[in-house]
Amino acid sequence: MAATQTQPVGANPGVRPIDARPGTLKLLLANRVAVGAGLVTLGFVLVALLAPMLSPYNPAEQHPEAIRVPPFWSPGGSTRFLLGTDGLGRDLLSRILFGSRVSILLGVVVVLLTLVVGACLGMLAGYYRGWVDTLLSRVVDTLLAFPFLIFALAIMAVTGPNLVALVLALAFKGWVDFFRVARGDVLAARESEYVLAARGVGASNAYILFGEILPNIVPPLIVLAALRMATVIIAEASLSFLGIGVPPRIPAWGTMVADGRGSIATAWWIATFPGLAILLLVLSVNLLGEGLRDALDPRMRR
Amino acid sequence: MWVRFVGRRLWQTAPVLIGVSLIVFLTMHLTPGDPIEHMLGRAGSVTRAQIEELRAHYALDRPLPTQYALFLGKAVTGDFGPSYSQGRPVVEVITERLPATLELTLFAFVIALAVAIPAGALAALRPHRLFDRTATVVALLGVSMPGFWLGIVLMILLGLRLHWLPISGRIDWALAPESITGMNTVDALLAGDGAALRSALAHLILPAITMAAPMAAMVTRMVRSSMIGVLGQDFVQFARARGLPEWRVVGKHALRNALVPTVNIVAIQTGMLLSGNMVIEAVFQYPGIGKLAVDAIAAADYPLVQAVVLLYAVSYVGLNLAADGIQAVLDPRVREARA
């Protein structure tokens, strides 16, 4: 990040450089698309948190008298089930509301895990160089050549649907992106004036790395985290769609689309609405990520 | 220098292939249950001695490293043993399905590039105007949409509502041409059978579009940004100053240079195309490798899963290698930087 190099020599270490750049929040708020995307994302998070209160029914509750009822605006539909019911007579709306939980939870857990692991290793590699850097960079090069979804599939094929295995399968390669960004930025920051200044006044390596450099490399990591979140949500949904992601007893959007796949000729809504939810969430997260990138680094504005 | 470049890239690929094969091998050993029991299936009564004999035959009584070495040796020659679910050699099952997947992937690849390169270039010519904005929005939708869902929506709209296209399978069975290459479109062409060709193409369109969507989106964005960079450069201005017609400046000078950095994205995205292949074939009940993999997982047919995963991985690695090679041919700077 070149922006870090414009810091005056001997900048007051008490002032976090990220705050010194004026108007990050202002830039973000001025971007109407990003604000809208942020609100929609926030809405999804609230839905996930409040799903038991918002859902009209228990997502697992079956209504044998109301199998494949269409949404309320279609002929034969009723406001009893706003988005209709699935093949077991379960309320689609309630299942979609509950389905947001596993998508968002897995997305957050996987991204946080990969962010912490990737950023820490990347910072160490970039700061200390030497054999640590060589070794980690080789591992990263190897992982980059792995087809990610296929690898996740191979793991899940063996373990079967299982949340812990799913997190590990999704995280296995995800940390690599964070590693590369963190390492590159630390490499650049290492020789910058503010780091030299801090070293000059006798700051410890740990302080320089976490107190001086870390705040400066946070913005690109946040942007990457948002964009990775979108990828993870789609990957989870794809694995669940194939029946090897989220265990079937937990309502998940990918599983729901798979459930509806067999009856698209007679009940199009069962597969359509959960997929729409995935699209809406992923789109919002992507737009939010791009908005963040533009606001944090105006030079990347397109 | 060439030899060094190629040699170094191949050398870098070795640990990847070993890593992939090791993971595939180990997952097999983490599988619940005994491979011998899987192999015998419900064959009924077998004696303990017979089981021991089979165990020895498949070297399952040897230490893990030995087994891995044996596995590697066999994998190189394409010997993955019998498929649990089909009782035939795995390699036979795969060879049978391979042409279908190659055909689909090739179509998806062509569609993605045929859409993305002109769209990206046109968007770059007038940035932030209507076409550019539309392309940006469509591309964003393309990367945000789960492939399996796009496939289902296309099936509902174009297949079931409008009855334009068939929604599953590869071809009308009554029309299937005699198998020469295994690719229906090519076989139909070779046989000069127009009806079969139409049927095969109609069956390919929806899965190919679905498969192509995310790749088209990514490549469009890449071509656009790369093209915007190139259009601002001196040699483009110079070509204009020489009085060359605009279509030549853009189509020849600018586009060619803009495509060099795109090669890498194209290769990476082709690898992603392979990943998406499984989901798309499952959605469309398309009888290729992807559907084979999904069915094999459901049937706990581990040798088949193993072989398919290895096949995907090796193709992916091969594509990355090819991308580096092509890029090195197109741009000498890459050659020097990576040699």
Side-chain angles (χ1 to χ4, degrees), chain A residues 156-231:
Chain A
M156 299 310 295
V158 171
T159 61
N162 165 346
L163 283 186
V164 176
L166 188 58
V167 167
L168 293 179
L170 292 171
F172 180 78
K173 198 183 157 187
W175 64 274
V176 165
D177 295 320
F178 292 103
F179 174 88
R180 301 216 302 169
V181 167
R183 177 180 175 274
D185 284 350
V186 170
L187 267 181
R190 212 168 164 250
E191 308 302 330
S192 64
E193 287 163 341
Y194 75 95
V195 169
L196 295 179
R199 195 170 287 148
V201 297
S204 68
N205 277 335
Y207 176 77
I208 293 177
L209 200 48
F210 291 99
E212 294 284 341
I213 297 182
L214 181 61
N216 277 298
I217 68 166
V218 160
L221 290 175
I222 291 178
V223 172
L224 184 59
L227 299 176
R228 283 288 314 162
M229 178 89 74
T231 317

Side-chain angles (χ1 to χ4, degrees), chain B residues 21-97:
Chain B
S21 61
L22 195 59
I23 286 171
V24 169
F25 170 76
L26 284 177
T27 46
M28 176 74 173
H29 276 268
L30 298 173
T31 53
D34 187 339
I36 299 295
E37 278 165 31
H38 280 294
M39 231 176 279
L40 294 171
R42 295 181 191 82
S45 54
V46 251
T47 63
R48 180 138 220 111
Q50 277 172 307
I51 291 179
E52 287 311 317
E53 196 181 318
L54 274 171
R55 199 177 291 282
H57 178 73
Y58 287 103
L60 291 170
D61 51 354
R62 309 269 197 90
L64 270 187
T66 318
Q67 287 193 45
Y68 173 64
L70 287 170
F71 164 76
L72 211 54
K74 284 186 174 173
V76 170
T77 57
D79 178 6
F80 291 91
S83 147
Y84 294 162
S85 61
Q86 309 210 15
R88 297 184 291 153
V90 163
V91 67
E92 196 181 302
V93 180
I94 288 183
T95 333
E96 211 172 81
R97 298 287 198 103

Side-chain angles (χ1 to χ4, degrees), chain A residues 145-147 150-151 153 157-158 234 238 241 257 261 264 268 271-272 275-276 278-279 282-283 286-287 290 302, chain B residues 16 20 23 27 128 140 143-144 146 148-149 152 155-156 160-161 221 275 278 283 285 294 297 312-313 316-317:
Chain A
F146 264 81
I150 305 220
F151 176 76
L153 186 103
V158 171
I234 288 201
S238 302
F241 174 80
V257 176
R261 160 70 181 84
I264 50 170
W268 56 271
T272 306
L276 213 52
I278 305 175
L279 171 62
V282 173
L283 190 63
N286 266 332
L287 284 171
E290 292 191 357
R302 291 168 304 147
Chain B
V16 178
V20 170
I23 286 171
T27 46
H128 303 296
L140 195 65
V143 293
S144 303
F148 56 89
W149 184 71
I152 285 177
M155 270 154 82
I156 292 175
L160 296 168
R161 287 289 155 91
R221 289 173 142 196
S275 308
M278 218 152 6
V283 171
Q285 300 288 306
V294 175
I297 289 168
Y312 274 118
Y316 188 86
V317 171

Side-chain angles (χ1 to χ4, degrees), chain B residues 99 103 170-171 173 176-177 181-189 196-197 200:
Chain B
E103 190 176 30
R170 283 183 74 196
I171 193 165
W173 281 114
T181 59
M183 298 192 210
N184 281 332
T185 47
V186 179
D187 289 346
L189 272 179
L197 182 64

Side-chain angles (χ1 to χ4, degrees), chain B residues 120-290:
Chain B
L122 278 177
L125 285 182
R126 288 182 182 52
H128 303 296
R129 302 294 270 288
L130 182 66
F131 183 81
D132 181 31
R133 289 189 181 244
T134 315
T136 306
V137 170
V138 173
L140 195 65
L141 285 175
V143 293
S144 303
M145 211 179 275
F148 56 89
W149 184 71
L150 174 63
I152 285 177
V153 169
L154 288 177
M155 270 154 82
I156 292 175
L157 293 178
L158 300 180
L160 296 168
R161 287 289 155 91
L162 298 170
H163 298 287
W164 285 357
L165 294 163
I167 59 168
S168 67
R170 283 183 74 196
I171 193 165
D172 252 329
W173 281 114
L175 294 172
E178 191 194 343
S179 176
I180 303 165
T181 59
M183 298 192 210
N184 281 332
T185 47
V186 179
D187 289 346
L189 272 179
L190 288 176
D193 185 345
L197 182 64
R198 266 195 302 278
S199 172
L201 284 175
H203 281 83
L204 271 174
I205 292 177
L206 287 186
I209 289 179
T210 311
M211 213 170 142
M215 173 166 172
M218 294 301 289
V219 176
T220 303
R221 289 173 142 196
M222 186 69 202
V223 171
R224 176 188 177 275
S225 63
S226 166
M227 189 78 174
I228 287 179
V230 169
L231 283 173
Q233 281 181 16
D234 291 345
F235 72 90
V236 173
Q237 302 298 333
F238 179 67
R240 283 206 177 108
R242 267 165 59 207
L244 290 178
E246 185 67 13
W247 63 266
R248 271 199 75 179
V249 176
V250 172
K252 204 168 161 221
H253 295 254
L255 188 59
R256 182 188 285 180
N257 282 285
L259 288 182
V260 175
T262 313
V263 172
N264 218 356
I265 293 285
V266 168
I268 291 171
Q269 287 298 316
T270 311
M272 303 300 269
L273 213 60
L274 291 178
S275 308
N277 171 263
M278 218 152 6
V279 175
I280 305 302
E281 287 190 4
V283 171
F284 286 95
Q285 300 288 306
Y286 186 91
I289 297 286

